[in-house]
Amino acid sequence: LSAVFSCFAMFIGRSFFDIRPAGFSNMLVAVFLLVLVLATYRNILYIWLIVPITVFWCNIHGGYIYVFIMMVPFVVLHFLTSFSKKRFVSIGQRGVIHAIAAGIVAFIATIIFNPFHLTNLTHTFVISISKHAEMWRNINEWHPAFEWSNPVGTGVPFLVMYIIGWVALAAWAAVFIITLRSFNSSVDRKRAKNLDQYQWPQIDLSLIAIAAMTIYMAIESRRFIPIAGIAACPVIAMFIDQMIRSVSATRNFHKENRLTVPTMPKVLRLFFTLTGAAAVVFFGTWWGLKFKYIYLDAWPSDARLNSVFMRMTASDAKPFYACQFIRDNKLKGKMFNYWTEGGFIAWGQDPDPNTGKTPLQLFMDGRAQAAYEPAMYDLWMNIMSGGPMTGQMAANASARGSKLIAADYAKIGQWMNEQLKRYNVWVVLMPFAEFNGHSIKGLESNPNWRLVFYDNKQKLYVDITTPQGMELFEGIKNDKTIYPDEFTKYLIKAHNLLVSAEGQADLKMAFDFAVKAFGISPSQAPLQELMALSAYGDIGLQVYNVCKNYFEDFAKNKNIYAKKDGYYQKMVAALIICDYLQQIATNQKDHVLAESCNAKMREYNSEISRLMSTKRW
């Protein structure tokens, strides 16, 4: 039962486990509950372990508040049950005094032994019960457990546990009552031998209450599903264990006149042993092969960032190369960044060895709830939206059945330029998901802001009205700006030559650089530059030839590429080219090529769907 429900607890929280401070809270909930159990069943002095645990906990995550929340039912219920120790588990009044004292000391210690002192405690209430709390709980992980459309984790295993929990509780209560009545009705008629060898199970109200409260927390906010599994699974196992023992002891009493739990029959022991061994071999082999397929075989998402760690944490999406660009070019000052990537961007810099301060200061990072005022988050959101006029312009465009036009983006860009200058921001770094956002497209339309670095995942803009920004921008032409690899160097050269082209020579150079970048990494970013060049006469014909050659090569060698890292990027490139060739074939009435492109697009889209569903745990 211990092994099965330990595994079940991990399975319930599996889709929520990650590498961030909240993960420590999940682990420390188990440690805290173990301390409560040791204090209850072994020695009450174990309760003092909550002091060092809570001090450590409060220095890594705000989840330490769980200790003080759950100490309330623990103390109250143990005090109430101390008056009836025959039926209930209780630490007694001496134990209650120790628990209260340990709780008070832990509370004081959490205020003293952390860098933020009392603020470390009050901010937890700010994000939970203050007037701004609703804003922080808008994110998906704070939504209810049974919100089935929620993209964060899965609540299905928790629902299974929830149902099993209710069934186990009802069955436990029924078995407890029935077996006790059966024994009491028979004990007057016959005196059991060794009557004192079996003690009827006592009810541990505090443990049950803590499990119930944690389950309620998870129902309200799915981020607590992992700790609900950790708190509830041992209780469910306890219910099952006590039911088996009670039924076995009662049956043995009626059969052998002994109120003891009989030894498990050899046949039943052998059955459980063989079943357990078969389950370990079966699931071990299945999951071992799946682990190899996902974490050791070719990784389709990225050709370079493909270690087991990268795959497990999806860290290949982080701005590794943008951070290397920041370090190599020694950027300093203030930047505007996407808030969830702030911590990584700070980590990716070289801090001052004396002060620890990062050279390029963030506008906001992932600690928004703890380290920033709500007004700061509102300001960030306002800038990211493109300003107050963006909503009205979008509504007007929708009313006329179109999208925002160049004049609209020019207004957004001007507003953003004013806002960023107001806060002395001269660098903007944004992830792929924001490339087509109104604010970024508006920024691109402003001549003061130029793209100086980009790849398939990140874009970095600088204000060229600043000395640093102009130096970086000019460095693209004179090769003084340092790039992390040849791919990003050729890509940015192609982009800037295309944007500022003054003649055929510039366009030809842009084409050459784009082809070089595409040759290094056949992917979406260099293809966009090639597609932009396809409208220019002879260069357009060369673009067509490059695309046609890639189309034919990928179709011929697809099975070989499938066994190599970066297969997904190659397939996305093939899809873009299929669409491009299909449009040309349709215009030229080349039905054979058009149908071939359509067939390949269906095949590649199906393949991408398969990869998305199988190349993940």
Side-chain angles (χ1 to χ4, degrees), residues 237-288:
M238 179 183 71
F239 286 157
I240 296 172
D241 177 72
Q242 290 184 354
M243 282 191 287
I244 293 171
R245 291 178 182 277
S246 297
V247 171
S248 298
T250 304
R251 183 172 177 272
N252 199 39
F253 174 66
H254 289 296
K255 188 177 180 180
E256 303 290 341
N257 197 30
R258 292 177 178 274
L259 189 63
T260 57
V261 179
T263 304
M264 186 182 294
K266 290 184 179 179
V267 175
L268 192 57
R269 282 208 308 273
L270 182 62
F271 169 76
F272 282 129
T273 301
L274 294 177
T275 301
V280 169
V281 171
F282 175 76
F283 288 110
T285 303
W286 176 18
W287 291 333

Side-chain angles (χ1 to χ4, degrees), residues 3 39 51 54 64 212 219 249 274 395 421 441 510 557 603:
V51 177
T54 311
Y64 73 93
I219 292 173
L274 294 177
K421 284 184 181 298
K441 293 180 76 171
N557 299 303
E603 177 188 344

Side-chain angles (χ1 to χ4, degrees), residues 431-547:
F432 174 81
E434 301 300 319
F435 285 4
N436 292 316
H438 293 324
S439 59
I440 299 307
K441 293 180 76 171
L443 194 70
E444 288 180 336
S445 70
N446 191 293
N448 290 348
W449 290 84
R450 293 301 184 91
L451 187 66
V452 295
F453 170 90
Y454 89 110
D455 55 18
N456 289 295
K457 299 171 183 178
Q458 303 286 330
K459 283 187 175 182
L460 190 147
Y461 304 86
V462 296
D463 181 359
I464 61 172
T465 64
T466 65
Q468 293 181 85
M470 179 55 76
E471 183 181 356
L472 276 175
F473 183 63
E474 290 295 328
I476 297 173
K477 299 176 184 177
N478 58 32
D479 289 329
K480 289 186 177 180
T481 298
I482 303 171
Y483 285 88
D485 51 27
E486 295 291 287
F487 171 71
T488 51
K489 179 181 178 179
Y490 292 145
L491 188 59
I492 196 65
K493 281 181 175 290
H495 176 81
N496 278 335
L497 280 167
L498 176 60
V499 169
S500 59
E502 296 179 353
Q504 194 71 11
D506 286 345
L507 292 173
K508 180 64 172 65
M509 289 175 64
F511 169 78
D512 290 340
F513 282 126
V515 170
K516 287 181 180 179
F518 185 68
I520 294 171
S521 176
S523 52
Q524 186 170 347
L527 260 182
Q528 288 176 335
E529 304 303 326
L530 287 171
M531 296 294 117
L533 287 159
S534 63
Y536 294 98
D538 292 341
I539 293 178
L541 180 60
Q542 294 180 63
V543 170
Y544 176 83
N545 290 332
V546 169
C547 292

